[in-house]
């Protein structure tokens, strides 16, 4: 049953993961009225693994750890506890985020167990948000909406399905449905994919399965969590790194990788068809070691399935009791397609935050950096807060469109972008510089030269002691 629409509220923040919490803290500090909507029963987003998660399919699994250093993953002014390891386990990350929400008086402002089904422009301005909670559906009007829900919600499956899938007698599942290795103890398992989840799951299974096969269709650069004794994400945010030209950064990484692990083909892995930093990297400390010890067997892409075997494109076959598809996620958003995507299906966001032609809607955390997302999400949240209070103004529509085109062109040239999530790739240092520059320009931009975004100029301004000065 749908309840009547209620009065207009100021801001709706959808999602209570890292990006949503960063946004809520920014709003709370500014005294802006907001409502947080979270589909799970607690904060944490992808780190909320277990009974509190409302999702039947979830990106997390029992052994999931941060692959970014806790030193740069914590929020500004609220560091990760010193007794946590450098790469905390999922439940430690979730507990840290819960403490952050409590410390900043955010928890009571979040409606948990609330699934957002639709966000659409209101004819009179603002946005209509339709959500469902406890069996009841309602639509509310908000002046501004911040999408901080991420994009790991719709598991991507092979399309068309792998030949023979209907006759395969073993289990077939997406990594979203994988929780722990015990169901596969003593079995022959084929893991499909070469991203972080595929490598983590293959490594974990190799300790209990009778045989673990990793099916790799396209090569990627396998990078350890640390180089030169430093976590790679700490290197990525360091000042000395940001001053190096891109070609020098890439050459340095290539030399260090060659010295630390030799040629990737020596492990039976395919040679990447791109240089380092021209596509997302695969981060793993253990994969190459498990391959070297014979605990993981590398095979090319799958050609077909039979009743009890997997056939590969090189003509070889493997007995298999299970196939785990680590094939990523489709970007599924509760928005009309033309709000955030252009005619080519590419995510068109000014500064990766503001959709063109739709006032009062913002995206937070829709980024794929090498390293931690937290500091980038905080910077995004502060700029969005500037826009909401009128402390900053957006540039004109033509300037915004030019920035978007420039980003998409660079991504297409560098990454050969084929899917919407490819458009989320950013270099940390250059993105931070660009967004800080836009914050300064927006603060000085005359109203006559600005895009008429609906800033809530009657709301209180940012406190003078904000730690996020540009």
């Amino acid at each position: 049953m749908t309840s009547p629409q209620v009065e207009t509220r100021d801001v709706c923040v959808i999602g209570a993961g890292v990006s949503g919490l960063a946004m809520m803290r920014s709003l709370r500090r500014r005294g802006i009225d907001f409502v947080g909507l979270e589909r799970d029963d607690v904060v944490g987003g992808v780190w909320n693994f277990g009974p509190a998660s409302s999702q039947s399919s979830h990106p997390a699994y029992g052994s999931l750890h941060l692959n970014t250093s806790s030193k740069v993953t914590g929020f500004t002014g609220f560091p990760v506890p010193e007794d946590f390891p450098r790469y905390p386990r999922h439940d430690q990350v979730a507990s840290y985020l819960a403490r952050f929400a409590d410390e900043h008086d955010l928890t009571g402002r979040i409606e948990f167990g609330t699934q957002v089904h639709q966000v659409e422009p209101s004819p009179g301005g603002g946005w209509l948000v339709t959500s469902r909670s406890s069996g009841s559906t309602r639509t509310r009007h908000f002046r501004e909406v911040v999408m901080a829900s991420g994009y790991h919600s719709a598991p991507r499956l092979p399309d068309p399905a792998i030949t023979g899938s209907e006759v395969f007698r073993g289990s077939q599942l997406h990594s979203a449905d994988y929780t722990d290795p015990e169901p596969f103890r003593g079995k022959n398992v084929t893991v499909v994919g070469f991203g972080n989840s595929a490598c983590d799951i293959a490594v974990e299974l190799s300790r209990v399965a009778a045989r673990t096969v990793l099916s790799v269709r396209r090569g990627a650069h396998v990078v350890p969590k640390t180089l030169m004794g430093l976590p790679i994400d700490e290197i990525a945010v360091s000042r000395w790194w940001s001053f190096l030209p891109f070609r020098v950064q890439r050459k340095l990484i290539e030399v260090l990788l060659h010295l630390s692990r030799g040629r990737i083909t020596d492990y039976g892995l395919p040679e990447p068809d791109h240089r380092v930093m021209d596509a997302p990297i695969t981060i793993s400390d253990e994969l190459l070691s498990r391959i070297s010890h014979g605990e993981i067997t590398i095979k090319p892409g799958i050609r077909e399935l039979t009743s009890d075997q997997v056939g590969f494109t090189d003509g070889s076959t493997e007995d298999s009791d299970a196939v785990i598809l680590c094939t990523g996620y489709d970007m599924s958003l509760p928005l009309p397609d033309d709000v955030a995507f252009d005619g080519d299906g590419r995510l068109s966001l000014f500064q990766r935050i503001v959709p063109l032609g739709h006032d009062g809607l913002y995206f937070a955390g829709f980024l794929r950096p090498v390293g931690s997302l937290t500091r980038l999400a905080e910077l995004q949240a502060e700029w969005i807060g500037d826009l909401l209070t009128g402390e900053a103004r957006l540039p004109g529509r033509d300037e915004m469109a030019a920035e978007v085109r420039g980003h998409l062109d660079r991504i297409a040239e560098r990454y050969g972008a084929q899917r919407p999530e490819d458009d989320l790739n950013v270099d940390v240092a250059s993105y931070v510089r660009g967004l800080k520059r836009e914050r300064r320009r927006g603060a000085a931009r005359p109203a006559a030269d600005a895009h008429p975004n609906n800033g809530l100029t009657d709301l209180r301004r940012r406190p003078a002691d904000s730690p996020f000065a540009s």
Side-chain angles (χ1 to χ4, degrees):
M1 179 176 180
T2 302
S3 63
Q5 183 176 313
V6 299
E7 74 279 0
T8 295
R9 300 289 297 274
D10 285 334
V11 183
C12 175
V13 179
I14 301 174
V18 169
S19 299
L21 293 176
M23 188 70 244
M24 293 179 205
R25 177 170 70 169
S26 177
L27 298 174
R28 178 79 176 87
R29 287 179 54 81
R30 298 164 188 263
I32 298 176
D33 180 39
F34 70 88
V35 173
L37 303 182
E38 169 56 48
R39 62 186 171 187
D40 288 341
D41 295 332
V42 295
V43 304
V46 296
W47 300 103
N48 179 20
F49 171 73
S53 173
S54 64
Q55 303 173 75
S56 58
S57 296
H58 199 282
Y61 38 89
S63 62
L64 180 66
H65 286 68
L66 270 179
N67 62 11
T68 58
S69 167
S70 59
K71 182 178 179 181
V72 296
T73 302
F75 289 102
T76 301
F78 195 84
V80 172
E82 291 186 2
D83 59 346
F84 275 22
R86 176 178 281 178
Y87 301 103
R89 196 175 54 245
H90 65 85
D91 57 321
Q92 294 173 311
V93 179
S95 69
Y96 165 75
L97 295 176
R99 290 199 301 273
F100 175 86
D102 289 341
E103 176 71 18
H104 293 88
D105 191 25
L106 307 178
T107 308
R109 300 166 183 266
I110 302 170
E111 297 179 8
F112 293 103
T114 301
Q115 177 74 48
V116 174
H117 290 288
Q118 183 69 39
V119 178
E120 55 189 342
S122 172
W127 295 84
L128 298 176
V129 178
T130 301
S131 61
R132 186 171 181 83
S133 177
S134 302
S136 177
T137 300
R138 62 173 170 167
T139 298
R140 286 174 280 185
H141 182 272
F142 293 91
R143 297 179 188 172
E144 319 273 343
V145 172
V146 181
M147 293 290 303
S149 54
Y151 53 95
H152 293 95
S153 57
R156 177 184 296 132
L157 298 173
D159 184 19
I162 299 172
T163 301
S165 294
E166 70 282 1
V167 301
F168 182 65
R169 294 191 303 228
S171 59
Q172 300 177 65
L173 64 153
H174 191 273
S175 58
D177 299 309
Y178 174 88
T179 56
D180 67 83
E182 280 307 309
F184 307 96
R185 182 175 291 276
K187 297 183 178 181
N188 299 319
V189 185
T190 302
V191 179
V192 180
F194 200 27
N196 293 329
S197 293
C199 294
D200 286 350
I201 290 171
V203 166
E204 182 173 63
L205 288 172
S206 71
R207 298 190 174 95
V208 302
R211 184 169 175 81
T212 302
V213 173
L214 182 62
S215 171
V216 179
R217 184 171 54 88
R218 183 191 181 204
H221 293 279
V222 181
V223 179
K225 292 181 179 179
T226 59
L227 286 171
M228 301 182 295
L230 296 171
I232 58 171
D233 50 319
E234 291 184 21
I235 294 175
V237 299
S238 63
R239 290 181 61 83
W240 67 268
W241 180 261
S242 67
F243 287 123
L244 295 177
F246 172 74
R247 59 181 177 78
V248 176
Q249 292 178 345
R250 175 155 61 187
K251 187 62 178 179
L252 179 57
I253 292 177
E254 288 175 339
V255 170
L256 291 173
L257 288 178
H258 183 74
L259 291 174
S260 63
R261 53 138 170 94
R263 297 179 302 176
I264 198 75
T265 53
D266 291 341
Y267 299 88
L269 290 164
E271 182 71 37
D273 58 6
H274 56 275
R275 295 183 66 182
V276 174
M277 301 171 72
D278 277 352
I281 59 175
T282 295
I283 300 175
S284 178
D285 280 336
E286 298 184 80
L287 177 68
L288 301 183
S289 175
R290 299 301 287 174
I291 294 172
S292 296
H293 286 82
E295 302 298 337
I296 294 177
T297 300
I298 302 299
K299 291 287 184 177
I302 294 178
R303 184 186 72 252
E304 63 175 351
L305 301 177
T306 63
S307 61
D308 56 2
Q309 287 189 326
V310 177
F312 300 93
T313 55
D314 63 355
S316 64
T317 60
E318 288 277 347
D319 293 340
S320 188
D321 300 300
V323 174
I324 301 177
L325 300 166
C326 302
T327 46
Y329 295 81
D330 287 322
M331 192 176 297
S332 178
L333 302 174
L335 290 162
D337 288 341
D338 62 352
V339 168
F341 298 94
D342 64 16
D344 297 322
R346 306 201 63 182
L347 196 62
S348 298
L349 303 174
F350 175 63
Q351 294 294 338
R352 323 293 73 77
I353 296 171
V354 181
L356 303 180
H358 295 279
D359 298 335
L361 179 67
Y362 309 90
F363 287 71
F366 281 72
L367 302 170
R368 288 208 305 186
V370 175
S372 173
L373 174 66
T374 309
R375 304 299 167 84
L376 302 184
E378 288 182 317
L379 184 58
Q380 288 186 325
E382 289 304 304
W383 183 58
I384 294 172
D386 289 350
L387 295 173
L388 294 181
T389 59
E391 294 175 83
R393 295 182 175 89
L394 291 170
R397 187 69 50 81
D398 289 346
E399 183 177 337
M400 293 170 64
E403 192 274 343
V404 172
R405 285 196 303 270
H407 169 74
L408 294 179
D409 288 347
R410 288 191 299 273
I411 289 296
E413 180 180 358
R414 180 168 164 185
Y415 294 96
Q418 298 177 349
R419 294 177 173 141
E421 64 267 28
D422 295 327
D423 302 326
L424 308 181
N425 292 309
V426 295
D427 291 322
V428 174
S430 60
Y431 181 72
V432 168
R433 284 196 300 267
L435 188 51
K436 285 186 174 181
R437 181 170 58 248
E438 174 54 36
R439 284 191 72 192
R440 293 192 298 268
R441 290 176 176 175
R445 187 171 286 127
D449 299 333
H451 174 72
N453 59 302
N454 298 323
L456 306 183
T457 53
D458 58 323
L459 298 180
R460 292 192 298 178
R461 298 174 63 84
R462 180 178 59 206
D465 62 347
S466 170
F468 303 102
S470 57

